[in-house]
């Protein structure tokens, strides 16, 4: 079955600490992976996608097909990174995404 | 430009009543999605419209849920005989669906539904 797993519901760190939000997927085809973010009182929005291979707001994510993972990382967390993060899987021939259950990141001062 | 809009922003209803939630996608976006967001459940896919194709209704939780998309634009999600477990934030998203890869989905602000 096609599935996205985010094992942590809540991740709490202090400002300046490294952050890694875990995401694992299950899909036999060639996946497209995304991270979406929802800041407090804002809309859910795209943070980054693996095919872009870019760093957004200091966050990066590398697709590891061997481990079927797409973990989101940032070396030094900031308070403004506090938000809900969703990992999502895109598949061939459909625009429909499969979302994980989300991880709430709390960055304390 | 204008983003995805949804109305109402909040809806409080009594158990057993019907509700209609509206979504106006970004102009020109051919794909429209409905999701349900609730604590502990994450983002649950409900239904997907793509152009003139038959909608993908595989995520609708029961036959009390239905959705229409008129003229390829505005969509209405209808929940009949609401139950308390229907309480959640209902999100709508749209994408350009270019067909070359999975396009970015643009989300609306959501409708918070509370069933008393």
């Amino acid at each position: 079955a096609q599935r996205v797993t985010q094992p942590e519901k809540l991740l709490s760190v202090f400002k300046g600490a490294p952050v890694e939000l875990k995401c694992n997927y299950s899909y036999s085809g060639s996946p497209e992976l995304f991270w979406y973010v929802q800041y407090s009182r804002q809309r859910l929005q795209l943070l980054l996608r693996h095919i872009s291979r870019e760093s957004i707001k200091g966050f990066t994510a590398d697709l590891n097909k061997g481990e079927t993972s797409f973990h989101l990382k940032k070396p030094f967390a900031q308070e403004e990174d506090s938000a809900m993060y969703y990992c999502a899987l895109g598949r061939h021939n459909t625009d429909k995404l499969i979302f994980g259950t989300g991880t709430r990141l709390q960055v304390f001062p | 430009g204008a983003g995805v809009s949804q109305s109402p922003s909040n809806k409080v209803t009594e158990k057993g009543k019907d509700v209609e939630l509206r979504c106006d996608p970004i102009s020109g976006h051919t794909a429209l999605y409905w999701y349900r967001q609730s604590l502990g459940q994450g983002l649950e896919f409900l239904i997907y419209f793509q152009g003139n194709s038959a909608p993908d209704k595989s995520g609708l939780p029961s036959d009390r849920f239905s959705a229409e998309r008129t003229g390829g634009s505005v969509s209405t999600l209808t929940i009949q005989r609401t139950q308390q477990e229907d309480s959640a934030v209902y999100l709508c998203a749209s994408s350009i669906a270019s067909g070359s890869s999975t396009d970015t989905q643009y989300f609306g602000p959501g409708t918070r539904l509370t069933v008393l």
Side-chain angles (χ1 to χ4, degrees):
Chain A
Q2 294 151 11
R3 184 185 301 121
V4 175
T5 303
Q6 294 181 251
E8 303 138 330
K9 287 191 175 181
L10 174 65
L11 184 61
S12 300
V13 300
F14 286 101
K15 176 183 173 181
V19 166
E20 182 179 54
L21 287 81
K22 291 184 167 50
C23 172
N24 286 88
Y25 67 91
S26 173
Y27 178 52
S28 58
S30 184
E32 293 188 58
L33 274 299
F34 306 80
W35 278 98
Y36 279 78
V37 61
Q38 188 169 28
Y39 301 101
S40 179
R41 298 187 184 86
Q42 293 188 29
R43 302 179 183 209
L44 191 60
Q45 60 187 289
L46 178 68
L47 178 64
L48 57 78
R49 54 196 300 166
H50 89 272
I51 60 172
S52 300
R53 295 182 177 275
E54 57 192 345
S55 172
I56 305 293
K57 299 186 179 183
F59 283 98
T60 59
D62 293 317
L63 176 61
N64 185 323
K65 291 188 177 180
E67 296 183 358
T68 59
S69 68
F70 188 58
H71 303 326
L72 184 67
K73 300 177 184 179
K74 184 168 182 176
F76 307 104
Q78 303 299 312
E79 289 179 69
E80 56 266 28
D81 296 328
S82 296
M84 190 73 174
Y85 291 80
Y86 291 95
C87 183
L89 168 67
R91 297 149 296 156
H92 182 60
N93 280 342
T94 177
D95 285 288
K96 193 172 108 178
L97 293 174
I98 296 177
F99 283 87
T101 50
T103 297
R104 179 166 298 282
L105 174 64
Q106 289 182 333
V107 182
F108 295 109
Chain B
V4 177
S5 61
Q6 292 185 246
S7 61
S9 54
N10 278 286
K11 177 71 177 178
V12 180
T13 190
E14 293 179 348
K15 177 181 171 181
K17 301 278 191 184
D18 298 352
V19 295
E20 283 189 354
L21 311 180
R22 178 187 167 105
C23 172
D24 281 272
I26 293 173
S27 177
H29 280 193
T30 59
L32 187 148
Y33 314 79
W34 282 99
Y35 297 92
R36 181 165 67 178
Q37 186 180 37
S38 49
L39 281 175
Q41 299 297 320
L43 207 59
E44 179 187 3
F45 164 77
L46 297 177
I47 189 169
Y48 162 45
F49 295 90
Q50 165 58 313
N52 296 320
S53 302
D56 178 345
K57 304 180 182 180
S58 59
L60 295 178
S62 78
D63 58 7
R64 296 187 295 105
F65 287 73
S66 62
E68 290 184 339
R69 188 177 185 193
T70 54
S73 181
V74 170
S75 177
T76 302
L77 177 69
T78 301
I79 308 174
Q80 296 179 310
R81 305 181 302 281
T82 52
Q83 304 294 312
Q84 288 182 331
E85 59 262 30
D86 299 334
S87 296
V89 176
Y90 289 82
L91 294 177
C92 175
S94 70
S95 70
I96 198 163
S98 62
S100 59
S101 65
T102 305
D103 291 297
T104 300
Q105 292 189 16
Y106 295 86
F107 284 82
T111 294
R112 181 175 296 279
L113 175 65
T114 304
V115 182
L116 302 177

